[in-house]
Amino acid sequence: MSNYHIKHLEEYYQVYRKSIREPESFWEEIAEEHFLWRKKWDSVLDWDFSTPEISWFKGAKLNITENCIDRHLTTRGDKTAILFEPNNPDEGSQHISYNELHIRVNKFANVLKEQGIKKGDRVCIYLPMIPELAISVLACARIGAIHSVVFAGFSSTALATRINDSDCKMVITSDGSYRGAKTIDLKGIVDEALESCSCVETVLVAKRIQTDIHMNMGRDKWLAPLLEKASDDCAPEIMDAEDPLFILYTSGSTGMPKGMVHTTAGYMVYTAYTFKNAFQYTENDVYWCTADIGWITGHSYIVYGPLANGATTVMFEGVPSYPDYGRFWDIVQKHKVSQFYTAPTAIRALAKQGTDFIENYDLSSLKVLGSVGEPINEEAWHWYNENIGKRKSPIIDSWWQTETGGIMISPIPYVTPTKPTYATLPFIGVQPAIMDENGNELKGNQVEGRLCIKFPWPSIARTIWGNHQRYKETYFSAFDNKYFTGDGALRDEVGYYRITGRVDDVIIVSGHNLGTAPIEDAINEHPAVAESAIVGFPHDIKGSALYGYITLKDTGESRNHNNLRTEINQLITDRIGPIAKLDKIQFTNGLPKTRSGKIMRRILRKIACNESDSLGDTSTLLNQEVVQEIIDNVL
Ligand code: PRX
């Protein structure tokens, strides 16, 4: 038998060593024994990080939905696959069994086909966390269409950019969405976006909030009547191992968001394998990841990883504060959740509410707690451990990225001893390297530098949609023959990794990656703005928040700064979404620049973080005088 389920530390080391020494035979064995293939591969791994070209299981044929649904039907047909918990608890939860999921995915897949969607077509999904979201993702995969899920908190402009970049033929959305006590007009956002998207032929609309909305004749179609008529029999499209499964956009430090392309077989094998081990999942567990399917965490660890293991996966539509801050714990108690996976920002927001909201609930079903998306600070780690885990559920601080597809560095619960703020050890098959700025690998322990991965793992993104050159430049050019993560990390005296944060111009706010360039572009659209620079600064709940330094055009007229602040944040909301709003806006007479005209963000970052006494040498600046003015007026 292969090493599919790791149960002891010695076993971890043994399996890890094997996965590094003989990666091909290691992954081949896992793939062979635990998945359903229509045809086996011709080669396990072909790779070249210089081009870069990576393929896993080349020549194999499969459909991921057969692995996530069909193959469970004989043994787990009546088991709950998706446990839907609505925004309003009074509405009641829904248990969607594997049998029912099979029917609903097939019907949806047939609707897609009837609407002209074929293998390889791109379908944009802009939905709230309702069952139709998971089902439409799987329906695309069933027929070989490439899904591009856009988080339903993005603005119409951000949505349009993503639809056009991958030339989507269809958008799947809903009449609206619930978010706590609010409703959001999703269809209105889609309508606005589509004014600038000529590629979209059809919009399928799910009913969620039952309001009257405008339907564009010929283009927009209600989903329910189409589903009702559709056959529940849809043969899975047989895909090549390396056929794209989905595109998911992530912010870059410059320019357009990057459409990361994940392919079929390697992604399936790695997400399934990591799910099983990182959560120590066993058959009767109820697993809950609080992320949105609009992010990679939801793709890999709400949909594909859990379903490939025949698990019960909870999908929660709402927010942690509605109807009150006890909602998460109410759900844990109600569904006897065994594994709970969330983000540090949620933990900090809940910790701020004290423990009153926890005390009324029975959390004894919990066995594993997870954290993902940003570094977890020591205080939040201990709060989570004491109050939610009651010091008996290990916390897995899992480090990974949209680009990596699956968990890369993480403790394995009950196997790896945890250490607060440390992601601990590389996952099976993952070969991290810490590099210095001159491109040398820092070997041994107690080193700190930039985090790279030096060997391919099965779920690495294969390209950026439509821009392979950018893929090469972003990830494979900083360090020779290595994938560069954009993160800093240290390795301690026992070989544990701690992620120290981004080393580029990406700022993680409440677990969302935000590139500074698109935000600055939005600000610079304001007619009064001459120039702007965004940096991150520490925030109690969000982890990091955004600080904007803005210089205004010299028009001679005086402007009300508070009105300007509101207008600028409105522009950001329109262009990107409310998640990118600035917490602080300081108007300045200039921005510190190098002699070549580059803004010195390092200095601005230090000032925003209240570290202006350690600015270092500023004598090479073109306009040294602005620094003191900025320090004097810091917010
Ligand atoms: O900086 C790291 C941070 O989140 C980045 C990836 O963001 P995204 O592609 O949105 O994927 C998030 C969910 C997988 C990383 O480059 N990050 C993610 N997890 C951790 C983390 N930083 C520290 N500790 C983590 N556990």
Side-chain angles (χ1 to χ4, degrees):
M1 271 302 278
S2 72
N3 307 287
Y4 193 69
H5 190 181
I6 294 157
K7 300 198 187 82
H8 316 285
L9 192 58
E10 311 84 81
E11 197 184 356
Y12 161 81
Y13 281 114
Q14 203 182 15
V15 176
Y16 181 75
R17 277 195 295 271
K18 181 173 166 193
S19 75
I20 303 309
R21 255 194 334 259
E22 306 157 26
E24 298 193 24
S25 61
F26 175 79
W27 288 112
E28 176 159 50
E29 223 175 279
I30 299 276
E32 190 134 24
E33 287 179 17
H34 298 279
F35 300 90
L36 194 68
W37 303 90
R38 291 296 188 106
K39 174 184 170 291
K40 292 276 162 68
W41 41 92
D42 303 319
S43 61
V44 178
L45 170 64
D46 299 86
W47 69 291
D48 178 352
F49 273 176
S50 69
T51 29
E53 299 295 335
I54 303 143
S55 76
W56 282 90
F57 309 111
K58 194 191 256 165
K61 304 269 186 202
L62 74 157
N63 185 288
I64 196 168
T65 68
E66 270 196 308
N67 281 276
C68 288
I69 309 171
D70 304 49
R71 69 170 165 145
H72 304 310
L73 298 181
T74 47
T75 50
R76 309 185 176 100
D78 293 328
K79 178 176 173 177
T80 301
I82 295 176
L83 206 174
F84 172 64
E85 179 64 30
N87 178 64
N88 181 348
D90 298 338
E91 197 184 306
S93 24
Q94 284 176 39
H95 290 252
I96 301 171
S97 67
Y98 275 93
N99 280 329
E100 187 186 341
L101 185 63
H102 185 243
I103 292 170
R104 290 178 69 174
V105 168
N106 279 348
K107 278 179 164 275
F108 208 127
N110 280 325
V111 169
L112 295 178
K113 279 188 180 170
E114 277 161 29
Q115 297 301 319
I117 300 298
K118 294 184 296 296
K119 178 178 174 183
D121 286 345
R122 274 79 60 210
V123 173
C124 173
I125 303 176
Y126 187 72
L127 278 171
M129 282 285 284
I130 55 176
E132 285 80 355
L133 173 50
I135 291 167
S136 59
V137 158
L138 293 162
C140 286
R142 186 85 176 169
I143 66 166
I146 303 170
H147 56 79
S148 167
V149 183
V150 176
F151 171 59
F154 276 117
S155 72
S156 59
T157 316
L159 174 62
T161 307
R162 287 158 176 77
I163 290 172
N164 284 328
D165 183 68
S166 47
D167 212 11
C168 294
K169 228 169 137 176
M170 174 186 272
V171 177
I172 303 172
T173 190
S174 63
D175 53 353
S177 64
Y178 293 117
R179 200 175 158 74
K182 288 193 286 197
T183 55
I184 297 165
D185 174 20
L186 279 197
K187 177 63 167 53
I189 297 172
V190 170
D191 287 344
E192 223 173 281
L194 294 192
E195 282 171 20
S196 52
C197 302
S198 54
C199 49
V200 173
E201 294 166 10
T202 314
V203 178
L204 296 183
V205 187
K207 248 195 166 72
R208 178 57 184 140
I209 64 168
Q210 320 289 339
T211 49
D212 269 349
I213 53 163
H214 172 72
M215 294 290 275
N216 190 318
M217 279 272 287
R219 188 195 71 184
D220 303 348
K221 294 172 184 155
W222 288 108
L223 189 57
L226 295 174
L227 284 172
E228 205 173 303
K229 293 202 306 271
S231 151
D232 60 10
D233 183 15
C234 177
E237 185 78 31
I238 303 310
M239 307 295 286
D240 283 339
E242 283 297 335
D243 277 337
L245 174 63
F246 64 85
I247 301 169
L248 185 61
Y249 286 88
T250 185
S251 305
S253 38
T254 53
M256 291 269 293
K258 298 168 289 188
M260 304 313 306
V261 178
H262 281 284
T263 59
T264 308
Y267 176 82
M268 171 183 79
V269 169
Y270 194 75
T271 53
Y273 182 72
T274 47
F275 173 76
K276 174 78 182 165
N277 288 291
F279 298 101
Q280 287 288 305
Y281 167 74
T282 55
E283 184 65 32
N284 295 315
D285 292 342
V286 173
Y287 163 86
W288 180 21
C289 164
T290 70
D292 191 290
I293 294 176
W295 309 113
I296 191 69
T297 309
H299 280 61
S300 303
Y301 298 112
I302 295 179
V303 182
Y304 289 114
L307 296 179
N309 282 281
T312 297
T313 176
V314 175
M315 241 185 113
F316 176 43
E317 184 187 25
V319 293
S321 54
Y322 181 81
D324 62 40
Y325 277 96
R327 186 69 194 278
F328 273 8
W329 321 127
D330 179 41
I331 297 173
V332 168
Q333 172 180 282
K334 180 153 122 199
H335 300 303
K336 299 197 167 45
V337 170
S338 344
Q339 291 93 352
F340 177 73
Y341 193 30
T342 197
T345 186
I347 299 167
R348 289 189 293 263
L350 292 163
K352 201 172 170 200
Q353 302 301 318
T355 50
D356 291 357
F357 287 106
I358 303 168
E359 274 151 18
N360 297 333
Y361 297 102
D362 175 6
L363 305 183
S364 60
S365 58
L366 288 171
K367 297 192 288 191
V368 176
L369 301 179
S371 170
V372 63
E374 56 183 311
I376 177 165
N377 51 309
E378 190 132 8
E379 212 182 330
W381 195 98
H382 287 296
W383 186 88
Y384 199 26
N385 184 39
E386 302 266 327
N387 297 292
I388 308 305
K390 319 286 184 199
R391 297 187 195 196
K392 67 173 183 53
S393 298
I395 296 176
I396 61 146
D397 176 1
S398 59
W399 172 84
W400 58 295
Q401 310 177 294
T402 305
E403 295 85 339
T404 70
I407 293 172
M408 299 291 283
I409 303 183
S410 171
I412 295 179
Y414 301 99
V415 171
T416 320
T418 58
K419 176 174 176 182
T421 77
Y422 280 74
T424 75
L425 296 173
F427 221 87
I428 304 301
V430 174
Q431 301 189 36
I434 294 191
M435 311 295 292
D436 71 14
E437 285 183 31
N438 303 319
N440 302 311
E441 181 173 351
L442 300 170
K443 302 254 170 102
N445 290 339
Q446 291 188 296
V447 291
E448 179 167 358
R450 293 170 181 227
L451 180 63
C452 286
I453 313 289
K454 53 188 177 185
F455 193 85
W457 61 100
S459 66
I460 181 173
R462 305 297 199 256
T463 190
I464 293 176
W465 184 263
N467 200 343
H468 198 66
Q469 186 58 26
R470 187 174 180 200
Y471 174 70
K472 178 175 172 171
E473 281 162 15
T474 311
Y475 304 107
F476 298 92
S477 303
F479 300 97
D480 213 25
N481 213 25
K482 291 183 182 62
Y483 166 84
F484 175 45
T485 64
D487 283 321
L490 62 81
R491 193 163 48 226
D492 77 357
E493 62 289 351
V494 297
Y496 273 16
Y497 289 83
R498 178 184 187 174
I499 310 303
T500 50
R502 300 290 311 181
V503 295
D504 56 11
D505 285 328
V506 170
I507 304 171
I508 305 185
V509 179
S510 299
H512 304 312
N513 279 12
L514 298 172
T516 51
I519 305 175
E520 290 165 6
D521 290 346
I523 298 170
N524 298 347
E525 279 183 39
H526 193 288
V529 170
E531 226 181 1
S532 60
I534 304 297
V535 298
F537 72 100
H539 184 281
D540 286 4
I541 291 180
K542 300 181 185 181
S544 293
L546 300 178
Y547 194 117
Y549 297 93
I550 298 179
T551 60
L552 296 175
K553 287 180 184 154
D554 186 9
T555 55
E557 51 186 309
S558 67
R559 295 287 308 247
N560 176 320
H561 280 181
N562 281 339
N563 289 352
L564 271 177
R565 286 190 176 96
T566 311
E567 287 165 27
I568 287 167
N569 266 332
Q570 188 55 47
L571 250 175
I572 296 173
T573 306
D574 293 345
R575 295 293 178 269
I576 300 160
I579 51 178
K581 283 205 290 199
L582 308 184
D583 269 50
K584 292 186 182 178
I585 298 179
Q586 178 176 352
F587 294 103
T588 79
N589 285 319
L591 298 171
K593 290 192 183 156
T594 61
R595 292 191 188 273
S596 57
K598 211 170 159 254
I599 298 172
M600 286 286 275
R601 285 162 210 284
R602 182 180 57 77
I603 292 180
L604 294 172
R605 202 174 296 128
K606 289 234 169 199
I607 299 175
C609 298
N610 276 326
E611 293 168 11
S612 46
D613 44 356
S614 62
L615 289 186
D617 184 14
T618 58
S619 63
T620 55
L621 289 177
L622 190 65
N623 49 352
Q624 212 182 342
E625 70 288 350
V626 302
V627 174
Q628 194 54 47
E629 181 223 308
I630 294 175
I631 294 173
D632 291 343
N633 295 306
V634 72
L635 299 171

